Amino acid sequence: MLQGFKRHPYIPNSEPSVEAAMLKELGLSSLEELHAEVPEEIKLNDSMNLPPAFASEMELKKHVSGLLRKNANCDDNLNFLGAGCWQHYVPAVCDEINGRGEFLTAYGGESYNDFGRFQSLFEYESLVAELVDMEVVNVPTFDWSQAAATALRMAGRINGRKRLLVPATLDPQKLMVLKNYCQPRHQVEQVAYQKDSGLMDLGDLKSKLGQDVAAVYFENPSYLGFIETQAEEIAALAHASGAEVVVGVDPISLGVLAPPVRYGADIVCGELQPLGMHMSYGGGLAGFIATMDDPKYVMEYPSRLFGICPTAVPGEYGFGDVAYDRTSFGHHRHEAKEYVGTQAALWGITAGVYLALMGPDGMREVGQTIMQNSRYAAQLLGKIPGIMANRFGSAFFKEFIVDFSATGKTVREVNQALLGDGIFGGLDLSGCFPELGQSALYCVTEVHSEKDLHRLADAIRRIAG
């Protein structure tokens, strides 16, 4: 099938003489012999239905550019989608630094081939630790979902318990990740929420707590945007039963909200994407985990941790792995607590750049701007007949629920009409949270101007009418 195959610029070792030399070394006469053990009935013994090859790189580039132009993006449209990947302003320096070759390509390896990456990750960990008011932060995981799942498994290893309690307001996709990652070792159960406020139902929490609960997990701000004002009570109830308290947080909120450790969190996790990362088909995402510097917690991290230490030269310091044997790199993989593969270290460096640039005052300013913009948006939408903005009526950060039920229109219809105006409406919640009716989750950040918010309100007023 591959006989007579000619050299190709995008396929290594496709030059016929190179191919022949490789086959000779292997003692084979054809490429097909490499797959002799594959049964004939599952082989594709026909030509693939592919279009003709492009004659040049220029033609290929034109073709791909044409495909990309079919995408509707947030540069050409006004965006109010969030729900886990949010539109924030990305300072130019973030792209400048994470595009440098010594960071962009040197994602793995050891100290002997490090060109500043270890120190950069140590600085990132230190900055995030200061932001969340804790002492130890890991090299990023793939995303918040994995960070939460790993944090919960850490809790289970610490106390040897099996049940995990999470709020019913959790992102349904994150819930699937938690179940997939934690089961069958752990059982994930949902705690009901108060239908009028979104806050956790403490009565239901009390009924489900017991000596077999490893951890209680909740998010602040929540997936649905509201701030869990009962956080201290939740933590106290969990601790009274011997459970760990794991809190997920949007780090960009911490310029204006208290860090979770202040209200009882033992392990904190969250999503780094708001800290200098562009949205890109759901990315770039990177999760973080933070704890205090207690061996009980530190030795349960499966991911890499970087520390600082003196060298043989007085006054000189180096940066390297801490307790490397914890990881699946430093331990026998089949005996490791969890497997850790290629991570999102580049995004950790990016988050470090963002935090170093912003500083405490900058984080406070961006947090205040987000709160002001989002509240102004909710006020504008709440004045439209038939629209219930901030459906829960609770304090919220960045995201809030808009209920269209009284207009007689579905969220799908509203979003389709908004798209015609060049606006991405909020995430449709009617499928995952049917009890909320025809509601959508709207996201407003520092990138939205007063003009943008009035444009949204005018469009919805016309559509709702």
Side-chain angles (χ1 to χ4, degrees):
M1 182 165 56
L2 296 176
Q3 294 293 344
F5 182 72
K6 303 300 182 183
R7 66 176 63 89
H8 193 283
Y10 302 134
I11 301 178
N13 300 322
S14 62
E15 206 282 329
S17 63
V18 174
E19 177 189 311
M22 293 172 67
L23 290 171
K24 181 179 179 181
E25 179 68 23
L26 295 171
L28 303 175
S29 59
S30 70
L31 292 176
E32 280 71 21
E33 291 185 40
L34 286 169
H35 314 292
E37 73 280 4
V38 179
E40 287 296 322
E41 59 267 23
I42 65 172
K43 288 183 180 179
L44 176 64
N45 291 308
D46 197 2
S47 298
M48 297 183 70
N49 183 22
L50 296 174
F54 292 99
S56 67
E57 182 179 302
M58 179 179 66
E59 291 182 57
L60 173 62
K61 183 177 179 181
K62 285 183 177 180
H63 174 72
V64 173
S65 296
L67 294 176
L68 293 175
R69 279 194 293 272
K70 294 180 180 180
N71 292 328
N73 60 59
C74 296
D75 292 327
D76 301 328
N77 296 271
L78 182 56
N79 174 49
F80 293 96
L81 274 170
C85 186
W86 309 274
Q87 188 174 9
H88 290 280
Y89 181 71
V90 176
V93 68
C94 292
D95 293 332
E96 179 67 24
I97 298 300
N98 68 25
R100 291 177 62 93
E102 63 265 39
F103 296 140
L104 184 63
T105 60
Y107 71 93
E110 302 302 333
S111 55
Y112 55 77
N113 67 348
D114 172 53
F115 298 99
R117 182 175 58 89
F118 282 16
Q119 180 177 354
S120 299
L121 288 169
F122 171 80
E123 302 292 355
Y124 141 76
E125 292 172 359
S126 301
L127 286 160
V128 173
E130 184 175 351
L131 182 67
V132 299
D133 199 18
M134 299 192 94
E135 297 168 342
V136 178
V137 174
N138 68 324
V139 173
T141 64
F142 291 118
D143 59 15
W144 187 348
S145 296
Q146 188 202 347
T150 292
L152 289 171
R153 291 199 63 170
M154 286 170 62
R157 290 194 293 270
I158 288 169
N159 56 33
R161 299 178 178 186
K162 302 298 183 183
R163 290 171 59 223
L164 303 170
L165 302 183
V166 303
T169 52
L170 197 64
D171 176 1
Q173 294 186 38
K174 187 178 293 177
L175 177 62
M176 287 192 292
V177 173
L178 295 184
K179 288 183 175 180
N180 182 58
Y181 202 78
C182 295
Q183 293 176 345
R185 183 178 295 275
H186 297 287
Q187 177 185 348
V188 179
E189 300 177 20
Q190 291 183 282
V191 178
Y193 67 94
Q194 301 172 25
K195 297 300 185 281
D196 59 337
S197 66
L199 303 177
M200 187 179 290
D201 185 331
L202 297 185
D204 192 46
L205 174 63
K206 291 175 183 176
S207 70
K208 290 176 177 174
L209 280 169
Q211 297 305 306
D212 59 344
V213 173
V216 175
Y217 174 79
F218 64 95
E219 296 177 352
N220 212 9
S222 70
Y223 172 66
L224 298 179
F226 63 86
I227 296 170
E228 180 53 80
T229 55
Q230 305 174 127
E232 284 187 279
E233 295 173 76
I234 294 170
L237 289 170
H239 286 149
S241 70
E244 298 291 316
V245 176
V246 182
V247 178
V249 69
D250 177 350
I252 209 165
S253 71
L254 296 180
V256 290
L257 299 180
V261 70
R262 301 282 181 86
Y263 46 81
D266 300 303
I267 307 175
V268 176
C269 62
E271 176 57 59
L272 294 170
Q273 185 267 330
L275 306 182
M277 291 157 226
H278 297 278
M279 297 186 299
S280 177
Y281 298 94
L285 302 176
F288 73 89
I289 303 171
T291 66
M292 301 307 286
D293 189 10
D294 181 339
K296 179 176 77 170
Y297 296 101
V298 173
M299 297 310 293
E300 295 304 331
Y301 279 91
S303 42
R304 296 178 82 173
L305 304 170
F306 286 107
I308 185 172
C309 62
T311 69
V313 179
E316 181 181 82
Y317 292 88
F319 303 86
D321 285 281
V322 174
Y324 193 59
D325 284 347
R326 297 170 297 97
T327 70
S328 56
F329 302 112
H331 202 283
H332 297 296
R333 294 199 175 201
H334 66 284
E335 295 178 359
K337 292 163 181 160
E338 295 178 37
Y339 173 75
V340 177
T342 301
Q343 299 291 279
L346 181 65
W347 295 134
I349 295 173
T350 305
V353 172
Y354 183 91
L355 291 173
L357 176 70
M358 298 292 283
D361 291 340
M363 292 300 291
R364 185 181 306 110
E365 181 180 349
V366 73
Q368 290 175 343
T369 302
I370 290 171
M371 294 190 77
Q372 291 166 353
N373 287 357
S374 57
R375 274 153 182 71
Y376 185 64
Q379 290 173 7
L380 286 177
L381 297 179
K383 294 177 181 178
I384 301 173
I387 301 295
M388 184 188 298
N390 188 19
R391 188 185 190 281
F392 285 141
S394 305
F396 64 90
F397 180 84
K398 189 164 70 176
E399 293 175 280
F400 57 94
I401 296 174
V402 180
D403 191 342
F404 296 94
S405 301
T407 67
K409 296 183 181 295
T410 65
V411 174
R412 182 184 181 88
E413 291 171 335
V414 172
N415 282 352
Q416 192 62 39
L418 286 173
L419 194 57
D421 289 335
I423 299 174
F424 296 151
L427 177 72
D428 190 346
L429 298 174
S430 61
C432 296
F433 296 92
E435 67 274 17
L436 299 179
Q438 289 300 316
S439 291
L441 185 64
Y442 273 71
C443 175
V444 177
T445 71
E446 77 280 7
V447 305
H448 295 101
S449 66
E450 182 180 1
K451 182 180 178 181
D452 292 335
L453 301 180
H454 279 277
R455 178 182 165 191
L456 171 67
D458 290 344
I460 289 181
R461 182 177 290 105
R462 185 184 69 253
I463 294 166

Short mmCIF file of all heavy atoms in Angstrom, two decimals, residues 405-435:
data_model
loop_
_atom_site.label_atom_id
_atom_site.label_comp_id
_atom_site.label_asym_id
_atom_site.label_seq_id
_atom_site.Cartn_x
_atom_site.Cartn_y
_atom_site.Cartn_z
N SER A 405 -37.43 33.77 31.35
CA SER A 405 -38.66 32.97 31.33
C SER A 405 -39.90 33.83 31.10
O SER A 405 -40.80 33.45 30.34
CB SER A 405 -38.79 32.19 32.64
OG SER A 405 -37.69 31.33 32.84
N ALA A 406 -39.99 34.99 31.75
CA ALA A 406 -41.19 35.83 31.66
C ALA A 406 -41.38 36.46 30.28
O ALA A 406 -42.47 36.97 29.97
CB ALA A 406 -41.16 36.91 32.73
N THR A 407 -40.34 36.43 29.45
CA THR A 407 -40.46 37.03 28.10
C THR A 407 -41.14 36.08 27.12
O THR A 407 -41.53 36.50 26.03
CB THR A 407 -39.08 37.40 27.54
OG1 THR A 407 -38.33 36.18 27.29
CG2 THR A 407 -38.31 38.28 28.51
N GLY A 408 -41.26 34.80 27.50
CA GLY A 408 -41.82 33.82 26.58
C GLY A 408 -40.83 33.32 25.56
O GLY A 408 -41.17 32.52 24.68
N LYS A 409 -39.58 33.78 25.65
CA LYS A 409 -38.55 33.35 24.71
C LYS A 409 -37.55 32.43 25.40
O LYS A 409 -37.30 32.56 26.60
CB LYS A 409 -37.82 34.55 24.12
CG LYS A 409 -38.69 35.48 23.28
CD LYS A 409 -37.88 36.60 22.68
CE LYS A 409 -38.78 37.53 21.86
NZ LYS A 409 -39.35 36.82 20.70
N THR A 410 -36.99 31.51 24.65
CA THR A 410 -35.97 30.62 25.19
C THR A 410 -34.61 31.31 25.11
O THR A 410 -34.41 32.25 24.33
CB THR A 410 -35.91 29.30 24.41
OG1 THR A 410 -35.48 29.58 23.06
CG2 THR A 410 -37.26 28.62 24.39
N VAL A 411 -33.66 30.84 25.91
CA VAL A 411 -32.31 31.37 25.85
C VAL A 411 -31.73 31.13 24.47
O VAL A 411 -31.03 32.00 23.92
CB VAL A 411 -31.42 30.70 26.93
CG1 VAL A 411 -29.97 31.14 26.77
CG2 VAL A 411 -31.92 31.03 28.32
N ARG A 412 -32.04 30.00 23.90
CA ARG A 412 -31.54 29.70 22.55
C ARG A 412 -32.00 30.74 21.55
O ARG A 412 -31.22 31.21 20.70
CB ARG A 412 -32.01 28.30 22.13
CG ARG A 412 -31.51 27.85 20.76
CD ARG A 412 -32.11 26.49 20.39
NE ARG A 412 -31.64 26.03 19.11
CZ ARG A 412 -30.53 25.32 18.93
NH1 ARG A 412 -29.79 24.98 19.98
NH2 ARG A 412 -30.17 24.94 17.72
N GLU A 413 -33.28 31.12 21.64
CA GLU A 413 -33.81 32.14 20.72
C GLU A 413 -33.15 33.50 20.97
O GLU A 413 -32.81 34.22 20.02
CB GLU A 413 -35.33 32.25 20.91
CG GLU A 413 -36.10 31.04 20.42
CD GLU A 413 -37.56 31.08 20.82
OE1 GLU A 413 -37.91 31.75 21.82
OE2 GLU A 413 -38.38 30.43 20.13
N VAL A 414 -32.98 33.84 22.23
CA VAL A 414 -32.34 35.12 22.56
C VAL A 414 -30.91 35.14 22.05
O VAL A 414 -30.46 36.12 21.42
CB VAL A 414 -32.38 35.36 24.08
CG1 VAL A 414 -31.55 36.60 24.45
CG2 VAL A 414 -33.81 35.53 24.56
N ASN A 415 -30.16 34.08 22.29
CA ASN A 415 -28.77 34.03 21.86
C ASN A 415 -28.63 34.07 20.35
O ASN A 415 -27.70 34.67 19.81
CB ASN A 415 -28.08 32.79 22.43
CG ASN A 415 -27.70 32.95 23.89
OD1 ASN A 415 -27.81 34.04 24.44
ND2 ASN A 415 -27.26 31.88 24.51
N GLN A 416 -29.56 33.41 19.66
CA GLN A 416 -29.51 33.42 18.20
C GLN A 416 -29.74 34.83 17.67
O GLN A 416 -29.08 35.28 16.73
CB GLN A 416 -30.57 32.46 17.63
CG GLN A 416 -30.41 32.17 16.14
CD GLN A 416 -29.10 31.48 15.81
OE1 GLN A 416 -28.64 30.61 16.57
NE2 GLN A 416 -28.48 31.86 14.71
N ALA A 417 -30.68 35.54 18.30
CA ALA A 417 -30.95 36.92 17.88
C ALA A 417 -29.77 37.82 18.21
O ALA A 417 -29.40 38.70 17.42
CB ALA A 417 -32.23 37.42 18.56
N LEU A 418 -29.15 37.63 19.37
CA LEU A 418 -27.99 38.42 19.75
C LEU A 418 -26.83 38.20 18.79
O LEU A 418 -26.09 39.14 18.46
CB LEU A 418 -27.55 38.08 21.18
CG LEU A 418 -28.42 38.61 22.31
CD1 LEU A 418 -27.95 38.03 23.65
CD2 LEU A 418 -28.39 40.13 22.36
N LEU A 419 -26.68 36.97 18.35
CA LEU A 419 -25.60 36.66 17.42
C LEU A 419 -25.74 37.46 16.14
O LEU A 419 -24.75 37.88 15.54
CB LEU A 419 -25.59 35.16 17.12
CG LEU A 419 -24.34 34.60 16.44
CD1 LEU A 419 -23.09 34.89 17.27
CD2 LEU A 419 -24.49 33.11 16.21
N GLY A 420 -26.98 37.70 15.73
CA GLY A 420 -27.21 38.53 14.56
C GLY A 420 -26.75 39.96 14.75
O GLY A 420 -26.48 40.69 13.78
N ASP A 421 -26.65 40.39 16.02
CA ASP A 421 -26.16 41.73 16.35
C ASP A 421 -24.68 41.73 16.69
O ASP A 421 -24.14 42.73 17.19
CB ASP A 421 -26.94 42.29 17.55
CG ASP A 421 -28.37 42.64 17.20
OD1 ASP A 421 -28.64 42.92 16.02
OD2 ASP A 421 -29.21 42.65 18.12
N GLY A 422 -24.01 40.61 16.47
CA GLY A 422 -22.59 40.53 16.78
C GLY A 422 -22.31 40.44 18.26
O GLY A 422 -21.28 40.92 18.74
N ILE A 423 -23.22 39.79 19.01
CA ILE A 423 -23.07 39.65 20.46
C ILE A 423 -23.17 38.18 20.84
O ILE A 423 -24.09 37.49 20.41
CB ILE A 423 -24.15 40.45 21.21
CG1 ILE A 423 -24.05 41.94 20.88
CG2 ILE A 423 -24.04 40.23 22.72
CD1 ILE A 423 -25.18 42.77 21.47
N PHE A 424 -22.20 37.71 21.63
CA PHE A 424 -22.29 36.37 22.20
C PHE A 424 -23.02 36.48 23.53
O PHE A 424 -22.51 37.06 24.48
CB PHE A 424 -20.90 35.76 22.44
CG PHE A 424 -20.09 35.54 21.19
CD1 PHE A 424 -18.71 35.58 21.23
CD2 PHE A 424 -20.71 35.29 19.98
CE1 PHE A 424 -17.95 35.37 20.09
CE2 PHE A 424 -19.97 35.07 18.82
CZ PHE A 424 -18.59 35.12 18.88
N GLY A 425 -24.23 35.91 23.61
CA GLY A 425 -25.00 35.95 24.84
C GLY A 425 -24.46 35.00 25.88
O GLY A 425 -23.46 34.30 25.66
N GLY A 426 -25.11 34.94 27.04
CA GLY A 426 -24.65 34.10 28.13
C GLY A 426 -24.85 32.62 27.89
O GLY A 426 -25.59 32.21 26.98
N LEU A 427 -24.22 31.81 28.71
CA LEU A 427 -24.32 30.35 28.60
C LEU A 427 -25.73 29.89 28.97
O LEU A 427 -26.25 30.24 30.03
CB LEU A 427 -23.31 29.69 29.53
CG LEU A 427 -23.36 28.15 29.57
CD1 LEU A 427 -22.81 27.58 28.27
CD2 LEU A 427 -22.59 27.61 30.76
N ASP A 428 -26.34 29.10 28.12
CA ASP A 428 -27.68 28.56 28.35
C ASP A 428 -27.64 27.54 29.49
O ASP A 428 -26.97 26.52 29.40
CB ASP A 428 -28.18 27.91 27.06
CG ASP A 428 -29.66 27.54 27.11
OD1 ASP A 428 -30.24 27.53 28.21
OD2 ASP A 428 -30.22 27.24 26.04
N LEU A 429 -28.36 27.83 30.56
CA LEU A 429 -28.39 26.95 31.73
C LEU A 429 -29.61 26.04 31.76
O LEU A 429 -29.75 25.21 32.66
CB LEU A 429 -28.38 27.78 33.02
CG LEU A 429 -27.15 28.66 33.27
CD1 LEU A 429 -27.38 29.53 34.52
CD2 LEU A 429 -25.89 27.84 33.42
N SER A 430 -30.51 26.20 30.79
CA SER A 430 -31.80 25.51 30.86
C SER A 430 -31.68 24.00 30.78
O SER A 430 -32.55 23.28 31.28
CB SER A 430 -32.73 26.01 29.75
OG SER A 430 -32.18 25.76 28.47
N GLY A 431 -30.60 23.50 30.18
CA GLY A 431 -30.43 22.06 30.08
C GLY A 431 -29.87 21.46 31.36
O GLY A 431 -30.38 20.46 31.87
N CYS A 432 -28.81 22.07 31.90
CA CYS A 432 -28.13 21.53 33.09
C CYS A 432 -28.83 21.92 34.39
O CYS A 432 -28.73 21.21 35.38
CB CYS A 432 -26.68 22.01 33.11
SG CYS A 432 -25.70 21.40 31.74
N PHE A 433 -29.51 23.06 34.40
CA PHE A 433 -30.21 23.53 35.59
C PHE A 433 -31.66 23.88 35.21
O PHE A 433 -32.05 25.05 35.23
CB PHE A 433 -29.51 24.75 36.19
CG PHE A 433 -28.12 24.48 36.69
CD1 PHE A 433 -27.02 24.68 35.87
CD2 PHE A 433 -27.91 24.04 37.98
CE1 PHE A 433 -25.73 24.44 36.33
CE2 PHE A 433 -26.62 23.79 38.46
CZ PHE A 433 -25.53 23.98 37.63
N PRO A 434 -32.47 22.88 34.86
CA PRO A 434 -33.83 23.14 34.39
C PRO A 434 -34.70 23.85 35.42
O PRO A 434 -35.65 24.54 35.06
CB PRO A 434 -34.37 21.74 34.07
CG PRO A 434 -33.50 20.80 34.86
CD PRO A 434 -32.16 21.44 34.89
N GLU A 435 -34.36 23.69 36.70
CA GLU A 435 -35.14 24.35 37.75
C GLU A 435 -35.02 25.88 37.69
O GLU A 435 -35.83 26.60 38.30
CB GLU A 435 -34.71 23.85 39.13
CG GLU A 435 -33.31 24.24 39.56
CD GLU A 435 -32.21 23.29 39.08
OE1 GLU A 435 -32.48 22.50 38.15
OE2 GLU A 435 -31.10 23.33 39.63
#
